[in-house]
Amino acid sequence: MGYSIAESIPQQAAHHESIEALWNLVWKKRCGVGIYPFMEAKLEDFEGIFAQLIEMNLRPPYDFEKYSQPFFPVAEDLDRRADTAEAAGDLSKACQLYMRAAAVYRIARFPTPQSPRQRLAWERQKAVFLKGAKLLDPPISEHQIPHTHGLPSTTEAGSNISICARIPSHSVPTTFPTIIQIYGLDGYRTEFTRKSTDHIACGWASIAVEIPGTADCPASINDPESPERLWSSVLDWLKQQEWVDKKKVVVWGVSTGGYYAVRIAHTHKDRLAAVVAQGAGCHLMFEPEWLEMSSHLDYPFDLTHCLALKFGYDDVEAMKKDSQKKFSLLDNGILDQSSTKLLLVNGMNDQIFPIEDSILALQHGSVKEARLLPGLQHMGEPVAGKIIAKWLEEFYQTIR
């Protein structure tokens, strides 16, 4: 398969050379302006950490136990300062400090917990995030949804689905358009602050949900049908919530979550008003050629290795051999089924998932809408979010 970006990209992006290259070429700028994955972060919290990491001369393949170590003292100090501010009644300062601590723990466990200390960082990130989340106005709350559709005799049985929810302030019982924000490979429910703030500004409620193989999601990792059970349990719970406008439930999946958004648009079409798939793959993302090519491009670490862990494979070669026949939405016939209203948005120069997957989805099943953005990379930011928000506003106005 030929890919449109193949002739214009290097075999390996320069930031994959070392942690020093990653920081100086990519992450320092992102941290300074607070964009993914440095939301709620301050550059001053990270400069000393990365000075230590650079001194350690870390290079791929990374030892993530060593990598994560310097983050802890900084995060612990921010957490203590936040506790002090909260005890003194300065809730705004406390919230900001808790979120800064959560951002430090986020990068400590990034891209996905692969060592004991990274797993501890994830536990710490959750705890400190929730301490700050309750101080937001309106607050973010965590809920444990019974996985009522979990497969018997598996780890799904009797499990809970951890989600975060944020609902606009209201003094009388009110229902709201509700967004199911499906997160991706390295973004979890603890990355919900900025997205939910945007939703609140539009008058929408929203929940943050994680995908199989990431964070605390209980869905079986290597079972291609586990997402359907997961979403059925989540939608059943939403149906019981008095604040949800049942006519206006929309899924918005980002990055790897976009794959699941395309999937749910077909498998649960009668339970959703619409779906947005931003930065999605569906079939070619599993091609061995693409997995080889994209492994060391735009993503900060070894992308294919992280995807292999997420989809339940012992190594990259096993994923190359097996994942397409198991998870492709084309090969398993899902793309040729009818779907709910579906918007596909991405940058034409995506180096994470091939733009050809967005085009492929348009060629199958129900007629869909799309905005494919020239010159932009994965997810189509910083333009795509505004396009999607306007599309959703206009769509919600059509529902009475």
Side-chain angles (χ1 to χ4, degrees), residues 34 87 111 118 131 143 150 211 228 241 245 249 259 371:
Q118 280 199 310
K131 286 162 74 172
H143 302 267
I211 58 176
E228 281 72 80
Q241 307 310 305
D245 185 335
V249 176
Y259 162 84
R371 177 62 65 87

Side-chain angles (χ1 to χ4, degrees), residues 107 188 214 235 237 253 296 332 361 373:
I107 304 304
Y188 305 155
T214 71
L235 289 169
W237 180 83
H296 293 89
N332 61 26
L373 299 158

Side-chain angles (χ1 to χ4, degrees), residues 70 99 287 320:
M99 292 304 182
E287 283 275 358
K320 289 178 181 177

